[in-house]
């Protein structure tokens, strides 16, 4: 039976999910070394005879082909400085998101990276534990955020501080993207011509004061006892019920988590998942969603993201036409290159002292004198949505090309 017909039996859509991340400390170390190399080349008068030194910061990249029958493994946290991310599959839903630890807690001796990584770990677990009656049912990102945060509180893990979070759920059955956004981690939806058809606004109390989930320390247990490397900082995963606790204990745990209304936080003015902004978008073939922590959109304009995406999508289109030999597998790698380039653009922008960055413009509107980019951790997640039937049709055409 032709694969196009088989495709109709599974999800209508599939996706390529490309993630890229770099901490501001790793970026700073690379930039210092890069400047030394450029200066040494200039001093030795080698710049006229050699190719320019490529700007290639050590950005981590992960690319996943999320399709029926493709191998998949959940990811619950990364070592992205104070940033973290996660992704999980729930029936015919791809649930993913980013969290950004609030750096101000460093002044109180609290490591923000532990909180953000723990939050994404709990979010991945909450996504995987989502009950859906039918394969085509949609996962609720705001409920996932709520249960993740409530789970952290229930387990009483010593992960203190704050973080913004963006949780997204893409239905591969319908192409509908649902989002829950708390804070300044935002996203852009690009149409199939790589033009922004939706730009999510930041959620701020005031300038540079985003909405955030908070667990305040109750004693000194969450404070740094010595200087730690945030790249390898520990974090906490959800507590697993012991086997002898049984189904009743598990049911009681779920009940207590579901009943957490965060009243103790609300009464003292802390934000809760109830304040998360919800939205939904119906996506079409070849549309791209760019989600990121503020390290991206503080430094890179939406127009720059559009241009980068357009260039890479054109390259992907050319690769499809000539890639009969590799059966199209190079396209996912090219999309990973887009994620890398978007993150690298943020680093390249924030080291420019005279740049009119988006952050500098917002600072001016708020009455502050600020110029240049804003050095920060950068984490991006790009989802490229494709109709399964069209993908299979393209594969069949490639298979036929050598015979024509």
């Amino acid at each position: 039976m032709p694969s196009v017909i088989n495709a109709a039996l599974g999800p209508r859509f599939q996706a390529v999910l490309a993630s890229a991340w770099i901490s501001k400390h790793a970026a700073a170390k690379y930039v210092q070394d890069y400047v030394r190399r450029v200066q040494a080349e200039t001093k030795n008068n080698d710049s006229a005879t050699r190719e320019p030194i490529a700007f290639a910061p050590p950005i981590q990249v992960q690319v996943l082909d999320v399709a029926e029958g493709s191998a998949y493994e959940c990811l619950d946290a990364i070592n992205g400085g104070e940033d973290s991310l996660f992704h999980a599959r729930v029936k015919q839903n791809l649930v993913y998101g980013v969290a950004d630890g609030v750096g101000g807690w460093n002044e109180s001796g609290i490591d923000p990276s532990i909180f953000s990584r723990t939050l994404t770990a709990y979010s991945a677990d909450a996504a995987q534990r989502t009950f859906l009656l039918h394969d085509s049912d949609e996962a609720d990102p705001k409920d996932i955020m709520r249960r993740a945060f409530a789970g952290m509180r229930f387990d009483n893990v010593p992960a203190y501080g704050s973080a913004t979070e963006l949780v997204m759920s893409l239905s591969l059955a319908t192409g509908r993207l649902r989002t829950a956004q708390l804070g300044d981690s935002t996203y852009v939806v690009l149409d199939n011509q790589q033009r922004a058809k939706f730009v999510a606004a930041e959620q701020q109390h005031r300038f540079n004061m985003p909405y955030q989930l908070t667990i305040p320390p109750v004693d000194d247990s969450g404070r740094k006892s010595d200087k730690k490397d945030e790249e390898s900082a520990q974090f906490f995963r959800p507590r697993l019920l012991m086997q002898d606790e049984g189904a009743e204990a598990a049911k009681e745990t779920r009940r207590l988590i579901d009943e957490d209304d965060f009243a103790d936080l609300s009464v003292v003015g802390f934000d809760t998942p109830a304040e998360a902004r919800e939205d939904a978008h119906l996506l079409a073939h070849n549309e791209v969603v760019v989600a990121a922590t503020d390290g991206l959109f503080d430094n890179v304009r939406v127009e720059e993201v559009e241009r980068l995406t357009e260039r890479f999508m054109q390259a992907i289109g050319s690769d499809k036409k000539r890639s009969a030999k590799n059966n199209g597998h190079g396209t996912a790698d090219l999309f990973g290159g887009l994620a890398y380039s978007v993150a690298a653009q943020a680093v390249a922008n924030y080291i420019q002292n005279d740049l009119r960055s988006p952050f500098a413009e917002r600072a001016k509107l708020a009455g502050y004198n600020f110029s240049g980019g804003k050095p920060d951790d950068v984490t991006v997640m790009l989802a490229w949505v494709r109709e399964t039937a069209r993908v299979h049709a393209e594969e069949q055409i490639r298979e036929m090309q050598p015979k024509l």
Side-chain angles (χ1 to χ4, degrees), residues 311-324 331 334 398:
R311 190 180 77 195
F312 272 86
M313 296 306 284
Q314 288 176 349
I316 288 171
S318 298
D319 180 76
K320 288 179 181 178
K321 294 177 181 178
R322 65 171 181 265
S323 61
T331 59
L334 280 172
R398 282 194 296 269

Side-chain angles (χ1 to χ4, degrees), residues 45-277:
N45 296 319
D46 291 337
S47 57
T49 57
R50 290 186 180 181
E51 290 289 327
I53 299 174
F55 185 76
I59 296 169
Q60 302 295 310
V61 177
Q62 184 194 64
V63 184
L64 292 172
D65 195 355
V66 186
E68 190 76 8
S70 297
Y72 176 80
E73 183 176 351
C74 171
L75 178 64
D76 65 359
I78 58 164
N79 59 342
E82 293 167 2
D83 285 359
S84 190
L85 65 78
F86 77 96
H87 55 74
R89 284 288 302 272
V90 189
K91 293 188 182 293
Q92 292 187 11
N93 297 274
L94 173 63
V95 181
Y96 63 100
V98 296
D100 181 1
V102 176
W105 285 97
N106 281 302
E107 299 174 5
S108 301
I110 302 293
D111 185 347
S113 67
I114 296 177
F115 188 92
S116 61
R117 296 177 198 184
T118 301
L119 179 59
T120 58
Y122 272 77
S123 297
D125 183 75
Q128 291 181 304
R129 292 178 184 272
T130 298
F131 173 76
L132 300 176
L133 183 60
H134 305 103
D135 283 354
S136 59
D137 288 348
E138 296 179 353
D140 182 346
K142 188 170 184 175
D143 184 63
I144 289 169
M145 181 189 295
R146 179 191 64 78
R147 288 188 288 114
F149 188 49
M152 286 178 63
R153 284 158 51 87
F154 178 83
D155 284 352
N156 198 27
V157 294
Y160 305 113
S162 306
T164 66
E165 189 176 33
L166 170 65
V167 181
M168 316 182 81
S169 175
L170 172 62
S171 169
L172 301 179
T174 65
R176 188 166 182 254
L177 176 73
R178 297 177 62 180
T179 65
Q181 174 195 353
L182 191 81
D184 56 5
S185 293
T186 59
Y187 66 99
V188 174
V189 180
L190 304 177
D191 64 20
N192 58 15
Q193 299 301 311
Q194 294 79 55
R195 295 294 175 263
K197 69 176 191 179
F198 181 84
V199 179
E202 292 186 337
Q203 198 183 27
Q204 300 266 10
H205 290 288
R206 58 181 183 275
F207 173 69
N208 210 30
M209 181 62 70
Y211 283 55
Q212 55 201 262
L213 299 175
T214 304
I215 297 180
V218 294
D219 51 36
D220 290 334
S221 61
R223 304 184 189 278
K224 300 176 185 177
S225 58
D226 53 17
K227 189 173 182 179
K228 294 182 180 179
D229 178 8
E230 67 177 18
E231 296 295 326
S232 58
Q234 72 177 111
F235 65 97
F236 302 92
R237 290 187 168 95
R239 182 179 68 88
L240 297 177
L241 289 173
M242 301 299 292
Q243 290 184 355
D244 58 0
E245 290 186 78
E248 287 302 316
K251 185 177 179 180
E252 177 65 9
T253 296
R254 287 193 295 270
R255 185 187 67 79
L256 292 172
I257 289 175
D258 285 339
E259 288 182 355
D260 189 348
D261 60 2
F262 313 108
D264 58 317
L265 295 177
S266 298
V267 75
V268 292
F270 287 126
D271 305 317
T272 74
E275 279 78 62
R277 180 192 297 139

